Every structure is written in C-alpha cells, then in structure tokens.
C-alpha cells in the first residue's frame, strides 16, 4: 500500500498515508552529531567486519546487559541492514526447506513472505489474548517459532508469565525461537521483557532481533542487530558476506550512538498523546472497534461489524477519500485495518481520521440499503 501512495503522490494526489509508520521525529541529536562528527573527522569511511565493527558490538553488549538483562560476548552479535536482514539470515541458517514456522496472526507481513521465500511452511495461529500452556500444547508442531514482542500490529506486550510458557514449551518441543523486539522502547503500558533473559538462550537456540528504525525514529538508516548463539552468528556472517557484506559504516556509527542513548521519554509521550487522541476520535463510531494499544506506532481497528473485505474497504477509502490504511488481509486478518498514527502533524491525523469515519459511515449506510 505504501508503494501505491508514493505513486499517487508522484502524480500530484495529496494522499494521507496511515498504511505505514514513519516517525515525524528526527533521529536523536546524539545520532546526528555522531555521524556529522565522523564525516568531518574521518573523511574516508572504511569497510568494517561483516558482523559489524568490534567497538559497536562491545557497546551493544553493554546495552543488552543494562536494558535487557542479557550477558553475551561480541561473537554472539551480528550487525545487519535492518531487522529484515537479520530475520532472513536467522531463518535461512536455522531451517531446511519444508520446515514449519509458527507465526501468530495478525503478523508483520515480512514473517510470512520471508518464510515462503526460503521454501518454509508458514503455520499461522491466532494470537490469543493470553498465551497459556494449554493453548501452546494444542498448536501444530513447528521447527521455528517467531515471537514479535512488542507486537505489530496489535500492540500486545507479552507478560513474563506468557514468555515463561513459551520458554517451557520450546524446551519440550525442541523448536527454535526468533524473537523480534524492534519496538522495545515504544511501550506505553506494562513492561517489555526479553525472552532470552528468562532462559538458556544458547541452549534453546534463541535469536533476538533489535532495530533502530522505530525505537529511535531511524527508519531510513537501515540498521539493526541480532543476538544469537555463536554458531548461528557465524552462519549468518557466512550468508551476509557475499550478499551485502557489512552494514554501512555511517549507519553503524549512528547505531552506536542510538543504542547507547536509551529510550526517548519525549517521543514516547508524544506517541502516547497521539494514540489517545486517535482512539478518542474513533470513539462512538459504531462500525469500528478501536482499543488503545499497549505499545507501538499502530492502531488495530476491527471493522468486521461493517465488512470482512478490509482490502476492498481500504481500496475504496483510498479512491474516495485519499487516505491509505493497511488492510488486515496483508497481516493474515481480514476484517481489520492497521493505521500508523505517528507520521504527520496532529492536524493531518485529525483530518485523516475524520475522512475515515465519514467514509465508513457512508459505507455502512449503503450496506443497509
């Protein structure tokens, strides 16, 4: 959908894009200053080790220790061109074609797309309100389990008890786990806990993925990293070498500054205020159920009372009102829509939601005839 928006904007159509979340915040000042300083001082930017500059990886160890309660060494970290590369490499090196990959839906589209690209078999299961031992035991066996915590698009933050249930379940079944913690600093309610901090992550084979994109408003910098057992990191390095080699030097400088800076209280407060405003603007609208998410840059709207064809709804909305949302079909959940609420100024956020409500009201009235 975001690509469609870009095409329409290039044609001169002023589309409001809620289909993706691109922060209106710039990257942190410490990041901009660090990058500017390196450009001014060094001039020549060298290649680094494929797994990332050693200085950066050592600093990431300190971040993992202080923020996530994890002890590791530099050979257990690989710096990647964003979370997507880490996901691709982790899936590639821990699976064989035909292996089952358990993915809870709704899901980030890249999980299913990457699994299919690698010839794996996505096993889709509904994300329950609460993860329990009984619920996990009823699932189809899988070689790999992908956990997104905090969760895109629902905003769910897994509790410690839920993570312990997952830990015990994978220990019994022998499944590996890939945990995507890209939104770790966008938590409004509750507390985000790393699964790896609750288990023998080396023995179980847990890969934990981090990204600067959302937690530090650095979408276009394309930088992230993964924590994994040393043999998994070595295999990921072997794969990454001939594909992209190391992440860009400047992006690594930016990551070093970002991950050392911690969460941004100002950004989180701004997002919380926008979240609350958006939910309030939808309140009382009979055809949509919109709860305030516990985390993340998205709202997850239930429009099943209006239609199960959320793809058709989104297409018609874009054409009639020039507002883009991501239909639930793209995330494995027809009858829902995802809205990114962090991109524009507040006036545009208000205007976009007003257009959605107007369109939905007319859609509902037409459906009753």
């Amino acid at each position: 959908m975001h690509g469609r928006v870009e095409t329409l904007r290039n044609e001169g159509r002023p589309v409001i894009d809620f289909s993706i979340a691109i922060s209106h915040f710039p990257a942190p000042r410490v990041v901009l200053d660090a990058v500017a300083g390196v450009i001014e001082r060094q001039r020549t930017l060298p290649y680094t080790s494929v797994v990332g500059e050693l200085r950066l990886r050592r600093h990431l160890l300190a971040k993992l220790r202080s923020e996530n309660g994890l002890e590791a060494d530099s050979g257990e970290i690989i710096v990647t061109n964003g979370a997507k590369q880490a996901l691709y490499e982790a899936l590639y090196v821990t699976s064989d074609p035909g292996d089952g990959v358990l993915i809870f839906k709704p899901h980030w589209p890249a999980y299913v797309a990457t699994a299919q690209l690698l010839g794996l078999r996505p096993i889709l299961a509904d994300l329950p309100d609460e993860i329990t031992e009984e619920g996990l035991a009823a699932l189809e066996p899988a070689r790999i389990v992908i956990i997104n915590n905090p969760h895109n698009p629902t905003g769910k933050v897994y509790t410690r008890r839920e993570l312990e249930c997952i830990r015990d379940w994978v220990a019994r079944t022998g499944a590996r786990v890939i945990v995507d913690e890209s939104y770790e600093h966008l938590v409004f309610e509750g507390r985000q806990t790393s699964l790896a901090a609750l288990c023998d992550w080396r023995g179980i084979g847990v890969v934990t993925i981090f990204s600067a994109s959302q937690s530090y408003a650095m979408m276009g910098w394309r930088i992230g990293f993964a924590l994994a057992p040393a043999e998994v990191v070595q295999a990921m390095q072997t794969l990454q070498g001939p594909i992209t080699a190391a992440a860009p030097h400047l992006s690594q400088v930016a990551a070093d500054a970002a991950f050392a800076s911690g969460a941004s209280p100002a950004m989180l407060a701004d997002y919380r205020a926008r979240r609350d405003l958006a939910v309030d603007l939808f309140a009382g609208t009979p055809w949509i159920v919109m709860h305030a998410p516990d985390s993340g840059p998205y709202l997850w709207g239930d429009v099943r009372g209006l239609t199960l064809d959320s793809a058709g709804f989104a297409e018609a909305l874009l054409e009639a009102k020039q507002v883009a949302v991501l239909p639930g079909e793209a995330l494995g959940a027809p009858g829902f829509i995802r809205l990114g609420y962090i991109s524009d100024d507040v006036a545009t956020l208000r205007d976009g939601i007003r257009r959605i409500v107007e369109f939905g009201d007319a859609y509902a009235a037409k459906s009753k005839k």
Side-chain angles (χ1 to χ4, degrees):
M1 182 62 78
H2 181 61
R4 291 272 310 285
V5 171
E6 288 299 306
T7 299
L8 292 172
R9 284 176 171 174
N10 289 336
E11 294 172 355
R13 297 179 63 179
V15 178
I16 296 175
D17 189 8
F18 293 156
S19 71
I20 197 168
I22 300 176
S23 181
H24 69 284
F25 274 78
R29 170 51 58 185
V30 292
V31 170
L32 302 179
D33 289 346
V35 170
V38 165
I39 292 173
E40 183 62 32
R41 292 191 306 272
Q42 291 188 205
R43 302 291 179 167
T44 300
L45 303 178
Y47 295 126
T48 74
S49 168
V50 170
V51 293
E53 191 173 44
L54 180 58
R55 177 177 180 273
L56 167 59
R57 287 183 285 134
R58 285 174 173 166
H59 289 172
L60 293 175
L61 293 177
K63 170 260 189 294
L64 291 172
R65 184 179 305 111
S66 63
E67 292 186 356
N68 306 95
L70 292 167
E71 293 291 340
D73 64 50
S74 58
E76 294 168 323
I77 288 179
I78 181 168
V79 180
T80 58
N81 293 274
K84 283 186 176 179
Q85 183 171 35
L87 171 68
Y88 177 91
E89 292 175 359
L91 275 175
Y92 188 104
V93 305
T94 59
S95 67
D96 293 309
D99 281 350
V101 181
L102 177 63
I103 301 168
F104 288 106
K105 61 177 181 176
H107 55 73
W108 186 39
Y111 298 144
V112 170
T114 305
Q116 292 174 332
L117 181 66
L118 294 173
L120 305 175
R121 181 172 54 88
I123 301 170
L124 301 182
D126 290 327
L127 179 65
D129 291 335
E130 181 182 3
I131 299 287
T132 64
E133 295 177 3
E134 295 77 16
L136 292 171
L139 296 174
E140 180 179 344
R143 180 73 183 91
I144 298 172
V145 180
I146 297 178
I147 301 296
N148 187 193
N149 181 36
H151 185 260
N152 170 9
T154 68
K156 176 182 175 64
V157 180
Y158 286 70
T159 66
R160 183 184 182 95
R161 178 56 187 153
E162 288 177 309
L163 293 172
E164 289 171 344
C165 286
I166 294 170
R167 173 199 66 194
D168 296 343
W169 178 63
V170 298
R172 288 195 303 271
T173 62
R176 286 181 173 269
V177 188
I178 296 174
V179 186
D180 180 355
E181 300 189 3
S182 295
Y183 295 176
E184 63 173 335
H185 288 320
L186 302 185
V187 177
F188 308 119
E189 319 296 342
R191 178 184 175 88
Q192 193 268 342
T193 301
S194 292
L195 173 64
L198 304 178
C199 67
D200 175 11
W201 58 269
R202 296 180 182 89
I204 292 176
V206 177
V207 178
T208 309
I209 296 172
F210 300 88
S211 171
S213 293
Q214 291 289 354
S215 285
Y216 300 99
M218 292 170 59
M219 293 77 182
W221 297 79
R222 307 311 306 140
I223 194 74
F225 74 96
L227 169 71
E231 65 275 12
V232 174
V233 167
Q234 181 59 52
M236 292 172 70
Q237 175 184 4
T238 300
L239 177 61
Q240 183 167 308
I243 298 175
T244 64
H249 182 92
L250 280 182
S251 292
Q252 292 193 51
V253 171
D256 199 353
F259 284 108
S261 68
S264 167
M267 188 172 75
L268 192 63
D270 176 274
Y271 287 4
R272 183 193 295 273
R274 285 166 172 262
R275 177 202 66 171
D276 293 345
L277 171 64
V279 171
D280 285 345
L281 291 173
F282 279 111
T285 304
W287 52 265
I288 189 168
V289 178
M290 185 74 75
H291 298 296
D294 289 340
S295 71
Y298 294 110
L299 300 178
W300 183 238
D302 183 350
V303 296
R304 289 175 295 178
L306 181 64
T307 180
L308 292 177
D309 181 15
S310 45
F313 177 91
E315 287 290 337
L317 172 66
L318 180 60
E319 183 61 32
K321 293 293 187 178
Q322 299 189 99
V323 176
V325 298
L326 191 66
E329 283 86 346
L331 302 99
F336 290 80
I337 55 174
R338 191 189 74 176
L339 293 80
Y341 62 87
I342 65 171
S343 300
D344 304 293
D345 56 41
V346 172
T348 303
L349 178 64
R350 286 180 175 274
D351 185 32
I353 293 175
R354 177 187 59 80
R355 296 189 204 182
I356 294 172
V357 172
E358 287 180 353
F359 175 80
D361 287 347
Y363 192 105
K366 183 177 179 180
S367 299
K368 292 177 181 179
K369 291 182 179 179

